[in-house]
Structures are given as structure tokens and as C-alpha cells.
Amino acid sequence: MPDDFPLQSQTAAPGGPDFGPLGWQTPDSLMLFGFWYRALPASQVHRAQLAKATLLEQPLVIGRDSHGQAFALRDACPHRGMPLSRGPFDGEQIECSYHGWRFDAHSASAS
């Protein structure tokens, strides 16, 4: 790998800017949309609870519905951009805390 390649070299000291708790990290700017990436370990995603993560510089709200099925949505209400992670979650729908719009956890369809 050339020295000017934007990934951190393997000889860099642990704890450098691209070394995280999961090991060597690829900067988000080098990752591509349309592919699957792990946003959170499964142990941090609990039934009927919301978790926040950022992937590809996009805020996400991640959780499991009342049946244990995982989901991930962009953490922004389409109306005013309020983070959906700040609203209540009943295990099936996420409610925007600004106007009360409700979104299906899997399809993001408003109801």
C-alpha cells in the first residue's frame, strides 16, 4: 500500500485516529452506499429500545421491534429533521417528538 494512501498504515501506533474499539477502521469517506455495514454490535440493540449510531456520516436510529426483529432508519423526521431517536417507541412505531408523526420501524411509512 502506498504511503499516501488515505487509510492508516499498519505500522501506526494503536490509539491513532483510525483505531477504534473494533480494530482498524475505514474512514466513512471511503465507504460506499448500497452495501451492508455493521452499525452496532447485536448486544447493543435491545427489544423495544432505540439506539443511535452514525454510519457513512448519516445519523441512524437502530432498534428491535417487540418481536425482536432488527431495524435501522435515518435518525431524522422528514418534516423538520428532528431526531427520531428522541421520540417514544412502542415496539412497532417511532413517534417524532416534534409533531407526533408516527413511523413504522421497518418501512418508515408514516401513519
Side-chain angles (χ1 to χ4, degrees):
M1 179 178 335
D3 289 336
D4 62 345
F5 193 74
L7 292 176
Q8 185 171 349
S9 72
Q10 296 295 318
T11 59
D18 290 330
F19 192 87
L22 303 175
W24 297 103
Q25 304 283 319
T26 302
D28 283 349
S29 61
L30 296 179
M31 299 174 83
L32 302 173
F33 286 93
F35 292 92
W36 285 96
Y37 297 103
R38 182 175 98 162
L40 286 174
S43 62
Q44 293 181 17
V45 183
H46 304 288
R47 188 178 296 220
Q49 292 182 2
L50 301 176
K52 295 187 328 182
T54 302
L55 189 62
L56 298 174
E57 300 179 11
Q58 299 295 317
L60 300 174
V61 59
I62 299 171
R64 291 186 188 276
D65 64 18
S66 58
H67 304 289
Q69 294 283 21
F71 66 87
L73 300 172
R74 184 174 284 193
D75 192 12
C77 177
H79 177 238
R80 293 279 185 178
M82 176 64 95
L84 293 174
S85 59
R86 293 190 181 172
F89 175 53
D90 66 5
E92 299 298 324
Q93 294 183 326
I94 301 173
E95 184 177 323
C96 174
S97 62
Y98 188 76
H99 275 132
W101 289 12
R102 298 178 62 82
F103 300 91
D104 179 80
H106 294 284
S107 69
S109 298
S111 59

